[in-house]
Amino acid sequence: MSTARTEERLLAALRSGRWAVSGAHTGEESFENTFAQRFAEFVGTAHAVPTCNGSAALTIAIEALGVGAGDEVLVPGLTWVACASAVLRVGAVPVLVDVEPDTLCMSVAAAEAAITPRTRLIMPVHVYGSAVDMDAMTALAGRHGIPVLEDCSHVHGARWRGRRLGSLGQVGAFSLQQTKLLTSGEGGVAVTSDPEIHDLLSRKRADGRRRRVGTPVGELELEELPGVQGYNYCMSEFNAAVALDGLDRLDGENARRRVAMRRLDDLLAEVEGASPLSRPAGLTEDAAYQYCVRLAPAVFGQNCKHVVAEALSRELGLHVEPIDSALTDNVLYQPLASGWTKASAERARLLDPRRFRLPVAEREGEHCVLLPHRMFLAPPEDIALVADALRRVRDQLVRV
């Protein structure tokens, strides 16, 4: 949501005459750099690099961590398609890994089984208010000398044993897309405490250029340097202005949501066939872009997510989404229909998602629905409406 402060910052960006990193320096600190500093402080890392979207943040992070053509990256089999697509974009091979049945996050045991001599990166993705077991995951990565890129696009502000998620791997990546807990309309950000990785992230998102200190007014606040191939992935001043206002409110809004989500946790215990995800003990403070309701097939039916999501949307008067299908059967993940497979038959085989066996992801990817985070800003007593609606939907399906 926007506030009066959002509008003030947007007008200030508009009137400044500088609308992007590539605009002339005005003598004032840019909104983009202010947001970078504030977000790094928020997450607890030394640096943050804003980008034009979350996919861009993932792409520059993957490259900054040394991943390239032919390398393998472990990606959870139940996640948004951009996680795998970003790996494809740098010429690497997404290796799809099954998830834990209680959290729907990447299984550490399955990740360990998927490691080969070509594995160069592990990408744990924290989803639906739960989290990957980061104690076990970072220990696994450390044993094998493999860096970790945390995708935190669902969990802005969550903490693992007191530390913000995103600060536990070598790099953390966040989406700031319209519907996220923290949004800039469209945007992303990558965080790190490694100065060399930070330099690469900064240059890769700005066509290889680096921000220069002491720029004279009227000149470009970027210097051209050799050695890095980059992209035009910078965040605009308008997006940064919106993100700054949301960051001011994020902790307070997350605290309100947690009260309502705990209320729904309790209520679902009384709804046959419906249950929330588990939260690992290490997740000392959760945050949920979407709250996941798991549906028992014996009660709600096989492959029930679309029917239940549509019925719940009607009952509640807001859009309830079916969970994304596993990447082995996701209509948006089509690497064999792209130019990435033209090099050889062997590369086509490696990129074929059907070569992976993901029994948990494939099952759960058809039996969950997702509630939007905005509904949890309602008074906790109103959450009973969700449980009541689930009962009515269940009873309708049973009658059918």
Side-chain angles (χ1 to χ4, degrees), residues 79-215:
T79 187
W80 179 239
V81 65
C83 299
S85 297
V87 176
L88 293 171
R89 192 172 294 114
V90 306
V93 176
V95 173
L96 304 184
V97 175
D98 211 356
V99 298
E100 293 288 353
D102 54 346
T103 67
L104 302 192
C105 294
M106 183 186 284
S107 162
V108 176
E112 184 163 26
I115 291 174
T116 76
R118 296 180 297 279
T119 306
R120 295 291 179 269
L121 180 64
I122 303 175
M123 187 193 296
V125 183
H126 309 296
V127 292
Y128 312 127
S130 195
V132 176
D133 182 343
M134 290 305 293
D135 297 337
M137 187 62 78
T138 54
L140 171 66
R143 289 196 302 271
H144 290 271
I146 301 171
V148 170
L149 165 58
E150 290 181 83
D151 186 318
C152 303
S153 297
H154 282 211
V155 292
H156 304 71
R159 295 181 188 270
W160 183 270
R161 303 199 189 282
R163 293 176 59 185
R164 301 275 194 191
L165 289 175
S167 67
L168 302 171
Q170 280 68 30
V171 180
F174 298 77
S175 167
L176 275 62
Q177 179 265 345
Q178 172 78 55
T179 61
K180 296 300 191 292
L181 291 166
L182 175 63
T183 179
S184 58
E186 189 64 87
V189 58
V191 299
T192 186
S193 289
D194 186 307
E196 293 184 4
I197 293 175
H198 172 243
D199 184 63
L200 283 170
L201 291 170
S202 298
R203 294 182 63 188
K204 283 184 172 296
R205 65 83 194 243
D207 287 316
R209 297 170 292 181
R210 177 192 294 148
R211 183 173 178 269
R212 59 173 174 156
V213 179
T215 305

Side-chain angles (χ1 to χ4, degrees), residues 8-21 23-32 217-218 236-238 241:
E8 290 173 11
R9 284 181 165 134
L10 282 170
L11 281 172
L14 178 66
R15 292 166 178 166
S16 73
R18 183 187 185 180
W19 297 349
V21 173
H25 183 44
T26 63
E28 300 292 329
E29 189 77 60
S30 67
F31 282 110
E32 189 260 5
V217 172
S236 79
E237 286 292 273
F238 303 114

Side-chain angles (χ1 to χ4, degrees), residues 245-281:
D245 189 51
L247 189 58
D248 290 338
R249 304 190 309 271
L250 183 57
D251 272 338
E253 291 178 348
N254 277 343
R256 287 174 58 191
R257 292 185 187 100
R258 274 192 291 276
V259 173
M261 289 190 297
R262 296 298 81 80
R263 174 65 176 147
L264 185 54
D265 290 346
D266 294 339
L267 290 168
L268 288 182
E270 303 170 4
V271 180
E272 181 189 5
S275 61
L277 294 185
S278 297
R279 296 184 305 280

Side-chain angles (χ1 to χ4, degrees), residues 78 116 296 337 374:
L78 191 63
T116 76
R374 67 182 183 276

Side-chain angles (χ1 to χ4, degrees), residues 288-291 318-321 370-376:
Y289 156 59
Q290 293 170 313
Y291 180 105
L318 55 77
H319 182 55
V320 175
E321 291 187 24
L370 307 173
L371 304 175
H373 65 80
R374 67 182 183 276
M375 70 179 292
F376 294 97

Side-chain angles (χ1 to χ4, degrees), residues 75-78 94-99 107 109-111 113-114 326-329 349 352-363:
V75 177
L78 191 63
V95 173
L96 304 184
V97 175
D98 211 356
V99 298
S107 162
L327 290 176
T328 48
D329 189 33
R349 185 191 70 80
D352 188 348
R354 294 170 299 179
R355 74 183 178 99
F356 300 102
R357 296 292 175 264
L358 309 175
V360 178
E362 290 167 357
R363 180 182 70 246

Side-chain angles (χ1 to χ4, degrees), residues 346-395:
E346 174 60 13
R347 180 154 175 80
R349 185 191 70 80
L350 291 173
L351 296 184
D352 188 348
R354 294 170 299 179
R355 74 183 178 99
F356 300 102
R357 296 292 175 264
L358 309 175
V360 178
E362 290 167 357
R363 180 182 70 246
E364 298 299 328
E366 303 306 320
H367 298 100
C368 299
V369 293
L370 307 173
L371 304 175
H373 65 80
R374 67 182 183 276
M375 70 179 292
F376 294 97
L377 294 176
E381 56 269 22
D382 290 353
I383 298 301
L385 298 172
V386 178
D388 292 341
L390 266 169
R391 289 190 185 92
R392 288 193 295 272
V393 170
R394 180 199 60 200
D395 292 346

